[in-house]
Amino acid sequence: MSDHYIVGVAGVLASLLSLVFLYYNFLVRCRERSELKRPASTEAPRGNREAVGTTDIIIVGAGVAGAALAYSLGKDGRRVRVIERDLNPPCRISGEGLMPGGYLKLTELGLEDCVEEIDAQPFHGLVLYKDGKDATLPFPHVAGKLFHNGRFVRRLREKAASLHNVSLEQGTVTSMIEEDGTIKGVQYKDKSGRLSMAYAPLTVVCDGCFSNLRRSLCNPKVDVPSHFVGFVLTNCKLRNENYVTFILGESSPVVFYRISGTEVRCLVDVPSQHVPSVSDGEMVHYLRTQVAPKVLPELQNSFLSAIEKKDNIRVMPNRIMAAAPHPTPGAFMIGDAFNMRHSITGGGMTVALSDVVLLRDLLRPLHDLSDASAICKYLDSFYTLRKPMSSTINTLANVLQKVFRASSDPGMQAMQQTCFGYTRLSGVFANGLSAMISGLCPRPFSLAFHFLAMATYGVGQLLLPFPSPKRLWSGAELLWAASSVLLPFIWSEGVRQMFFPLTVPAYYRTPPGNKGRNV
């Protein structure tokens, strides 16, 4: 009887202890979950404890990349401080077209309403005109957006500033604060001109194509192959209202697209060594005599009226800069400060927003940003993971700007004719090109396939109806022109990262402190 009593008491005690243990375990797990949800914080160095602890991430620049990143990080609970040199809406003749792939990234960030209430115009593809013929490249499934760049950026900034943990201030960052090889923050002049300092465990630089900080974070080799001459046409209609119009010829390509219900943007691509002066009237003369005759008849009157207003004409350099980062603990770069491609295909914002999504996802599992060296090594994977989108759009834009601006070189002229003829094949050929241009098919191998198919098509056209020595030579010139244009850009993107990213060790890096492989 006593044995049963002892066993019964022991059983009760064991049950009670089990309940206590389970309850304790439950409390521990709840505490761990609450800590995971808590915004990242770091302990400030001595002397700057309060300044450092109030900010998790500093963002330099509030353009498309900076404002979108600030909003996405703020939504994740980060305390973000954005410093922008000019908070007035920018007035630019670029950044006016968001490709379908970029619009999907904008939606993924929860910022799709930023293209609402700004008179944005949908567009469904591109149409090319050459020698009285046309070729249409429709986008599959998703439409892009055309708008005033300043209105779009203003909406992005408003969205970011609406978050209580995101501060947006006007100031010019003059330098970064470095201690023992690690970036601790930035030094800047505020709106009143007073010199101030801001501290955070991570500083993200995305201050655009004119960045004065990039030299310490990357190897900037900027090429300016051409300039866009831009102006606005009013009260006119495009032949294809929902398409961006490209007019190809022997000299500069001309682009038309609608940026509002009443305005059409015209961009003329002019080689950098031949840019006429606007102030002394040379530009107006050039546009009237060299460009106007190529313009579609229904646009000529509006074109001629627009160029007579000198204050309507603006000139913007088209910059190309391959991504060549210097990984630096405590600092990071995205946007045009880090990587630029020719603006002819309008892919810059798509690359920028894709980079924002990728960086946000990489930072999400990091709940402590204090170990700058470990985070720098972990974020090295960003440069490989971004390659499918960035290398496809970069290479395509840089190659097409050379092809569309055909020179006196017979090989390049044949290349332009081949490209135009290839787009007229429609089906998988035109759809494949439009999917890459739109950012919906970020696959370098698809890019390689289409250039190979295009070269094969071009050589085949030159050899028909039967080969001859002259035709064989023309085919060789075409192949040489194609390879001399394509291969340097592929080399600058990195052959291994572009086509074989799985062989790059950084591809497999895991967050610091997480179990798993960390190469």
Side-chain angles (χ1 to χ4, degrees):
M1 187 73 176
S2 60
D3 292 339
H4 288 291
Y5 178 79
I6 293 172
V7 171
V9 172
V12 172
L13 291 174
S15 299
L16 290 174
L17 289 173
S18 298
L19 288 173
V20 171
F21 176 77
L22 290 172
Y23 183 69
Y24 175 79
N25 210 25
F26 173 77
L27 292 177
V28 170
R29 289 185 179 181
C30 288
R31 184 179 179 183
E32 289 176 348
R33 287 176 183 173
S34 65
E35 286 177 351
L36 289 176
K37 292 180 180 179
R38 190 178 302 163
S41 62
T42 57
E43 184 178 353
R46 293 181 181 177
N48 295 313
R49 183 175 300 275
E50 187 175 344
V52 177
T54 58
T55 304
D56 297 321
I57 297 175
I58 294 171
I59 296 177
V60 182
V64 172
L69 181 63
Y71 177 79
S72 60
L73 295 179
K75 288 288 286 184
D76 284 349
R78 306 283 187 185
R79 294 166 298 179
V80 182
R81 185 174 184 177
V82 187
I83 304 173
E84 162 60 37
R85 59 174 157 250
D86 186 1
L87 287 177
N88 294 311
C91 184
R92 303 176 57 190
I93 62 173
S94 65
E96 297 175 323
L98 184 61
M99 289 293 172
Y103 180 73
L104 292 181
K105 296 297 180 183
L106 194 74
T107 302
E108 191 174 345
L109 293 167
L111 291 167
E112 64 275 12
D113 57 343
C114 290
V115 294
E116 298 174 1
E117 301 179 0
I118 60 172
D119 199 12
Q121 306 294 304
F123 75 111
H124 303 286
L126 317 176
V127 57
L128 280 62
Y129 291 92
K130 178 175 171 60
D131 301 330
K133 300 178 181 179
D134 64 85
T136 303
L137 292 171
F139 294 149
H141 313 305
V142 184
K145 299 289 184 179
L146 298 166
F147 41 69
H148 281 270
N149 175 266
R151 298 175 185 176
F152 180 54
V153 172
R154 186 192 71 239
R155 293 281 285 128
L156 288 173
R157 290 174 178 174
E158 291 173 350
K159 192 83 170 180
S162 68
L163 300 178
H164 72 278
N165 53 331
V166 175
S167 68
L168 181 60
E169 61 183 294
Q170 184 164 312
T172 302
V173 175
T174 56
S175 62
M176 289 183 289
I177 302 170
E178 181 179 341
E179 294 180 13
D180 301 324
T182 299
I183 302 301
K184 299 293 185 178
V186 297
Q187 182 174 272
Y188 69 101
K189 290 182 179 179
D190 61 19
K191 193 174 182 180
S192 63
R194 183 180 58 185
L195 194 63
S196 303
M197 291 183 289
Y199 296 87
L202 181 63
T203 298
V204 182
V205 176
C206 41
D207 53 347
C209 58
F210 299 106
S211 174
N212 62 340
L213 302 177
R214 64 161 63 107
R215 290 192 177 277
S216 57
L217 299 176
C218 71
N219 184 24
K221 295 182 179 179
V222 181
D223 181 29
V224 184
S226 68
H227 285 68
F228 266 153
V229 179
F231 44 92
V232 173
L233 283 63
T234 56
N235 301 319
C236 64
K237 289 187 177 182
L238 298 173
R239 187 174 297 180
N240 299 83
E241 276 293 332
N242 296 121
Y243 283 76
V244 174
T245 299
F246 285 82
I247 300 176
L248 308 181
E250 295 180 357
S251 56
S252 307
V254 187
V255 187
F256 292 93
Y257 53 89
R258 185 166 293 282
I259 57 175
S260 74
T262 59
E263 299 165 299
V264 170
R265 170 71 71 194
C266 176
L267 294 176
V268 181
D269 192 50
V270 182
S272 290
Q273 61 272 26
H274 301 132
V275 180
S277 171
V278 176
S279 58
D280 61 8
E282 288 183 6
M283 179 63 75
V284 174
H285 177 74
Y286 171 81
L287 294 172
R288 186 188 302 116
T289 58
Q290 301 298 318
V291 180
K294 299 190 300 181
V295 173
L296 298 177
E298 62 268 28
L299 294 174
Q300 283 194 353
N301 288 337
S302 296
F303 182 93
L304 292 171
S305 297
I307 63 176
E308 292 302 326
K309 305 173 185 177
K310 286 187 179 182
D311 57 346
N312 189 32
I313 299 175
R314 303 187 62 189
V315 180
M316 178 202 77
N318 284 307
R319 295 175 175 85
I320 296 176
M321 187 181 78
H326 296 157
T328 304
F332 204 75
M333 290 189 75
I334 62 171
D336 284 349
F338 166 64
N339 182 208
M340 293 181 283
R341 77 292 310 147
H342 198 280
S343 302
I344 193 74
T345 60
M349 288 192 294
T350 299
V351 174
L353 292 171
S354 176
D355 285 352
V356 169
V357 171
L358 178 56
L359 183 57
R360 178 204 64 179
D361 292 345
L362 286 172
L363 290 175
R364 266 182 173 168
L366 301 179
H367 305 290
D368 183 5
L369 301 176
S370 60
D371 191 343
S373 296
I375 291 173
C376 179
K377 184 177 180 182
Y378 163 66
L379 290 180
D380 193 40
S381 61
F382 171 87
Y383 306 115
T384 300
L385 295 172
R386 73 185 294 269
K387 280 299 176 181
M389 178 69 81
S390 65
S391 64
T392 301
I393 291 180
N394 291 350
T395 305
L396 196 59
N398 295 336
V399 169
L400 287 181
Q401 62 91 13
K402 282 183 170 288
V403 173
F404 286 173
R405 196 180 69 245
S407 63
S408 57
D409 179 14
M412 288 304 300
Q413 291 178 351
M415 191 70 184
Q416 186 185 98
Q417 189 64 48
T418 296
C419 181
F420 183 75
Y422 187 81
T423 58
R424 286 173 58 86
L425 294 176
S426 68
V428 65
F429 306 105
N431 291 339
L433 280 179
S434 67
M436 288 187 295
I437 292 173
S438 65
L440 296 174
C441 180
R443 299 189 184 98
F445 274 108
S446 181
L447 178 70
F449 164 79
H450 281 283
F451 272 104
L452 180 61
M454 192 181 299
T456 304
Y457 164 80
V459 172
Q461 290 291 305
L462 290 173
L463 296 181
L464 292 176
F466 58 85
S468 66
K470 183 178 180 180
R471 288 173 177 163
L472 287 171
W473 179 253
S474 297
E477 285 183 327
L478 172 61
L479 291 176
W480 174 257
S483 59
S484 64
V485 169
L486 177 63
L487 294 181
F489 291 120
I490 290 180
W491 183 261
S492 68
E493 290 291 333
V495 176
R496 185 183 179 189
Q497 287 185 318
M498 187 172 176
F499 293 103
F500 309 103
L502 295 179
T503 67
V504 180
Y507 188 88
Y508 302 96
R509 288 188 178 155
T510 55
N514 287 19
K515 292 182 179 180
R517 184 180 179 187
N518 196 343
V519 179

